[in-house]
Amino acid sequence: METLQIEILNPKAKKLLEDLASQNFIAIRNSNSPFQEVLKKIGVLKREVIPSEEEILLEVGEERAARYKQNMTRANLDTNCGLLLFECALMQGPIKQ
């Protein structure tokens, strides 16, 4: 037995599949995952293609990597500025009161 995932683009195709199922040529099972159900509930438009879980995880990973890189650059700049101020203070000698 072979399993296929089919995206129905035309309602007539669904009717054809239902006819095949009624003649016991194929079996139809609803395979909506809980993840897909949540996406539908939060208002993904019917015309939009619902992204797969893998696509979302990939995009989240890319965004996190970009933010991490940005934060590391800022942290390095803050550290470098702090070191520069410290070096300037050392060059001026002790603070006179």
Side-chain angles (χ1 to χ4, degrees):
M1 174 175 31
E2 185 177 357
T3 302
L4 303 172
Q5 182 176 351
I6 299 170
E7 183 176 342
I8 298 175
L9 303 176
N10 187 323
K12 291 178 184 179
K14 184 175 182 181
K15 175 70 174 124
L16 290 171
L17 290 171
E18 289 170 348
D19 289 343
L20 290 172
S22 69
Q23 297 174 20
N24 293 323
F25 287 117
I26 63 170
I28 299 175
R29 284 182 228 102
N30 190 355
S31 64
N32 286 342
S33 70
F35 179 73
Q36 297 290 333
E37 293 299 323
V38 169
L39 288 176
K40 288 179 184 176
K41 284 182 184 179
I42 62 173
V44 176
L45 299 175
K46 289 186 179 187
R47 293 173 302 221
E48 291 183 34
V49 175
I50 297 174
S52 69
E53 196 168 348
E54 292 82 22
E55 291 170 326
I56 290 174
L57 291 174
L58 179 63
E59 189 163 335
V60 167
E62 290 171 354
E63 182 64 27
R64 284 181 177 167
R67 287 184 184 188
Y68 178 78
K69 183 177 179 182
Q70 184 180 21
N71 287 339
M72 290 307 295
T73 302
R74 269 195 208 134
N76 288 339
L77 286 175
D78 292 344
T79 302
N80 290 341
C81 289
L83 289 174
L84 185 59
L85 290 173
F86 181 72
E87 289 172 3
C88 290
L90 286 176
M91 289 172 53
Q92 291 177 358
I95 299 174
K96 297 180 184 175
Q97 296 179 349

